[in-house]
Amino acid sequence: MSVAPITRLLALAIVSVLATASGVLGATSAPTACEPRAKQTCSEVVNWSGRNLTGVNLTNSSFRDASPGRSRFVATNFTRANLTRTNFGDANLTRANFTRAIVNGTGFRGKLTGTIFTGAKITASWAGADFAGADFAGARITRFSAPRVNFTRANLAGTNLTDANLAGANLTRADLTGVNLTGAKLAYANLTGANLSGANLSGALLRGADLTRANFQGATNFPRTGISGVMWSSTICPDGGVTTIGC
């Protein structure tokens, strides 16, 4: 056999091997990353760190164990989303909508001013986050720990905060009407101008709290112990009387 046919055969064999290898690599390449969109269910752990998802519609999506720290979710719609164990870290969630979302073990440390948690299911431990002006109306809250969190002007009316840890929290002008604060820890919390009318304070700890202009009218089980160091100034007591020395 001449050299030329042998060369051609070798060339064809090399081309065949390369084509086979290309097919194998294509079949085993990594799947496309789970992208944020409505009705999306991500089976893998999602990392959206540093992304801008402002205004994105994530309604009915499931992003369990996601890690979107330092991302932007301004006005993002998380309605009915499952965010179990998602760690938002320092993400910007200003005006994000978590209506009826599952927020179990979800971590927040960043800016959440004006967020909506209406009807959300919340089991969480938050520390130092900013929920100023947030709306928690109708939220189902259990095992809630939010020390040093900013709830200025937040709406928590009617929620169940039994045994909640709100030590050092800023609740200035917050709406806490009808809230169940049984066994809640409010030591050194700032309740200046907060509305706690009709709240249940059975066993609540208020040591060192600032109750300046706080309204407790109609509140039940106002604590007689655990109130040392409380700041009283124009505080409205459960009987409607105004005091600067204690209810």
Side-chain angles (χ1 to χ4, degrees):
M1 183 178 291
S2 65
V3 174
I6 293 174
T7 302
R8 283 197 296 273
L9 288 172
L10 286 172
L12 290 172
I14 291 170
V15 169
S16 177
V17 170
L18 290 173
T20 302
S22 176
V24 171
L25 289 172
T28 58
S29 61
T32 303
C34 189
E35 288 300 309
R37 62 176 182 269
K39 299 183 180 179
Q40 171 76 296
T41 299
C42 295
S43 57
E44 72 272 20
V45 176
V46 181
N47 185 353
W48 297 334
S49 183
R51 296 187 62 173
N52 185 353
L53 299 172
T54 295
V56 173
N57 181 11
L58 301 177
T59 300
N60 290 315
S61 298
S62 179
F63 302 113
R64 298 166 64 96
D65 300 294
S67 299
R70 295 190 178 280
S71 298
R72 285 178 61 83
F73 294 94
V74 176
T76 300
N77 189 356
F78 291 100
T79 297
R80 293 188 299 277
N82 185 344
L83 300 164
T84 300
R85 293 188 302 277
T86 295
N87 183 12
F88 283 97
D90 296 319
N92 185 346
L93 290 137
T94 301
R95 301 190 309 281
N97 187 352
F98 294 92
T99 297
R100 297 174 62 189
I102 299 175
V103 190
N104 289 340
T106 307
F108 297 109
R109 291 195 312 272
K111 190 174 182 180
L112 294 103
T113 55
T115 47
I116 301 171
F117 287 90
T118 303
K121 184 178 179 182
I122 301 171
T123 302
S125 179
W126 302 333
D130 185 358
F131 289 92
D135 187 358
F136 292 87
R140 294 166 290 168
I141 303 173
T142 56
R143 299 195 300 279
F144 192 52
S145 180
R148 305 179 307 284
V149 166
N150 183 12
F151 288 113
T152 299
R153 300 185 308 280
N155 178 16
L156 292 152
T159 55
N160 185 352
L161 297 177
T162 298
D163 296 324
N165 181 4
L166 295 164
N170 186 352
L171 292 150
T172 300
R173 297 173 60 190
D175 188 351
L176 295 157
T177 56
V179 171
N180 186 351
L181 289 164
T182 299
K185 298 176 181 65
L186 290 156
Y188 303 102
N190 186 348
L191 289 155
T192 300
N195 187 353
L196 295 102
S197 57
N200 182 355
L201 295 158
S202 179
L205 178 64
L206 292 168
R207 183 177 62 250
D210 188 346
L211 305 185
T212 300
R213 297 188 302 281
N215 181 4
F216 291 94
Q217 187 163 9
T220 58
N221 303 306
F222 194 89
R224 302 299 175 188
T225 59
I227 56 174
S228 60
V230 166
M231 295 178 62
W232 310 90
S233 180
S234 301
T235 306
I236 303 175
C237 294
D239 61 3
V242 179
T243 184
T244 58
I245 59 173
C247 293

